[in-house]
Amino acid sequence: MSGSINYISCGLLWIGLLVKLPGLIRNGSEPSLRAINGVLAFASLCFLFGAPSSVEVINRLSGVPNLAAPLTYASITAYSATLLILIACWRGGPSARRTTRSWLYGYTAVLLGVAILYTLGDATEERRSDFDTYYATAPWISEMVVLYLVAHLTAVTVSAVWSLRWAFEAEVRRLPWLRASLLTIGAGTVISAGYSVSKLVAVIARWTGRDWTVLGTSIPPLCAGLGALLTVVGVLLPVAGHHLSSWRDFFRLAPLDSVLDPVLKERALRVERPRSPLLWGTWRWSTVHNGLLALESHFDERLYDEAFCTELDRTGDSQSATAAAWAVTIAAAVRRSTRPVLGPARLPTRLCHPRDAESLVRIADAVKRSERTVREPDTVEARSL
């Protein structure tokens, strides 16, 4: 991999890190947020320290011939550990804290081992691209190389097994963004395994007197770059999915927002839309929710039941019937709220309206369909005149 690709990848990861840092500052105690930022930070260091130009600069400025090597290995080890911790945090469960603590302690020991072994060894001749195979038979240095490669291979193997197995569980199939994330991470970690496997094979070949240096220098950069790219994309997919779903909700909730507009204006419940587009979906959901709360005492249960039965008989779909019944009930409640009827009113039984975004979006779709149905006859009549 050329140095330019390393630096471009590092820059993109830093942009992602800058996007995530405000959330970490606000919720610094959240383990998954810390792990996500750790994955982005250490992945960027892997690209930065691994670039040939960076290797030369680090070695020259430090005065230590091969200092870039243990720094790169330490970054790879830390990246591997944070990826394992992130998946364990996502999975949750009673053993999540114990599992993350175990990985943290284990890979901290690996980092210490890399530092100690490098200090004990003798690597005075600078090697910018073939350090692993060149020093494969050097005392202490060879042990350091094997230690970080085995640690990396362990991490990517466990991450691949965890993410792919979890992606095919029934509960995750209903969460498309999480499933896409896990499948992408699984693919990325499988490819990343090629980095440590090819280097280990090249090192073992040196132990047996063979020179397979090309295997240890040509394949690993490709596997590391593509694998890290896919893995980081998988890590960020749930975040991107959340924002995309939020924008989708912003547009799809518009018909229901429009129906509730008289109540929202009359009771001053509509707050100013936030400047950040990332918050528009949440803003519209909360606005709709406020309007529905204001109408709860006006929901007519009998009207809801009649509309539900009519739609269910017509379509046979209970989910669609529920949304259509709520669309009718909400529209009637708005009219009842803004234009009170004279005379004794029948007190309806209080209905609890749906609160989750998915149900509200279905109701908004039903409102849109009903508006379209009303407009179509008017259009036909106008044309006939």
Side-chain angles (χ1 to χ4, degrees):
M1 181 184 298
S2 67
S4 59
I5 296 179
N6 275 50
Y7 295 130
I8 291 171
S9 302
C10 180
L12 292 175
L13 289 169
W14 280 350
I15 292 173
L17 187 60
L18 288 175
V19 171
K20 295 299 297 176
L21 272 178
L24 179 64
I25 294 172
R26 290 192 301 269
N27 303 287
S29 60
E30 178 62 36
S32 61
L33 279 177
R34 294 203 301 266
I36 289 175
N37 282 271
V39 168
L40 294 173
F42 289 123
S44 68
L45 291 180
C46 292
F47 284 111
L48 179 63
F49 292 155
S53 300
S54 297
V55 171
E56 180 183 2
V57 170
I58 292 171
N59 292 341
R60 186 177 70 251
L61 292 179
S62 65
V64 181
N66 290 294
L67 182 62
L71 289 178
T72 304
Y73 301 161
S75 302
I76 293 172
T77 302
Y79 163 75
S80 304
T82 51
L83 181 60
L84 283 169
I85 292 171
L86 175 62
I87 296 177
C89 290
W90 279 357
R91 187 61 188 258
S95 62
R97 180 172 296 183
R98 185 175 64 253
T99 301
T100 56
R101 190 182 297 115
S102 299
W103 287 121
L104 183 60
Y105 292 159
Y107 276 82
T108 300
V110 173
L111 289 172
L112 290 174
V114 168
I116 293 170
L117 290 170
Y118 180 78
T119 303
L120 293 175
D122 182 14
T124 54
E125 184 175 345
E126 184 183 49
R127 310 299 300 186
R128 297 180 185 176
S129 59
D130 62 345
F131 181 91
D132 301 319
T133 50
Y134 184 83
Y135 287 104
T137 56
W140 303 114
I141 300 298
S142 62
E143 286 82 355
M144 179 192 73
V145 169
V146 171
L147 176 63
Y148 101 87
L149 288 176
V150 170
H152 176 265
L153 183 59
T154 301
V156 295
T157 301
V158 174
S159 299
V161 171
W162 277 1
S163 55
L164 293 175
R165 185 173 61 187
W166 189 16
F168 288 99
E169 291 183 2
E171 60 181 15
V172 177
R173 292 177 185 272
R174 297 190 294 270
L175 304 170
W177 285 108
L178 177 58
R179 188 164 190 260
S181 170
L182 293 171
L183 290 174
T184 307
I185 291 174
T189 49
V190 168
I191 294 173
S192 294
Y195 173 89
S196 46
V197 168
S198 57
K199 279 186 173 288
L200 280 172
V201 170
V203 167
I204 294 172
R206 279 295 306 274
W207 292 349
T208 59
R210 297 178 177 86
D211 185 7
W212 290 0
T213 303
V214 175
L215 180 64
T217 56
S218 58
I219 297 177
L222 296 175
C223 293
L226 182 57
L229 175 63
L230 286 175
T231 302
V232 170
V233 168
V235 167
L236 295 177
L237 265 179
V239 180
H242 170 73
H243 291 310
L244 289 173
S245 299
S246 180
W247 288 335
R248 180 207 64 176
D249 294 346
F250 170 75
F251 291 108
R252 292 185 66 183
L253 286 173
L256 184 54
D257 188 314
S258 179
V259 169
L260 293 169
D261 188 62
V263 176
L264 293 168
K265 286 182 177 178
E266 182 181 275
R267 305 194 184 188
L269 295 174
R270 185 182 292 284
V271 298
E272 185 180 354
R273 187 168 68 184
R275 293 181 180 180
S276 173
L278 300 178
L279 301 175
W280 287 358
T282 303
W283 166 79
R284 178 152 281 168
W285 175 88
S286 62
T287 301
V288 167
H289 183 57
N290 289 339
L292 293 176
L293 283 176
L295 289 174
E296 274 193 335
S297 60
H298 297 278
F299 291 149
D300 189 336
E301 185 180 24
R302 189 174 67 181
L303 176 61
Y304 173 87
D305 292 338
E306 290 174 356
F308 176 83
C309 293
T310 300
E311 185 69 15
L312 185 63
D313 291 340
R314 189 179 70 85
T315 63
D317 185 350
S318 62
Q319 195 174 75
S320 175
T322 299
W326 271 115
V328 172
T329 304
I330 291 170
V334 170
R335 291 192 297 269
R336 187 178 296 111
S337 171
T338 54
R339 292 178 298 191
V341 182
L342 298 177
R346 173 172 54 85
L347 294 176
T349 304
R350 175 162 294 194
L351 291 171
C352 293
H353 66 272
R355 286 168 167 77
D356 60 288
E358 185 177 351
S359 298
L360 294 178
V361 164
R362 284 198 293 267
I363 296 171
D365 290 342
V367 170
K368 189 175 182 179
R369 286 194 300 269
S370 65
E371 291 175 348
R372 190 184 301 118
T373 303
V374 170
R375 285 197 302 268
E376 286 176 354
D378 294 341
T379 305
V380 173
E381 183 178 354
R383 288 176 178 174
S384 64
L385 294 175

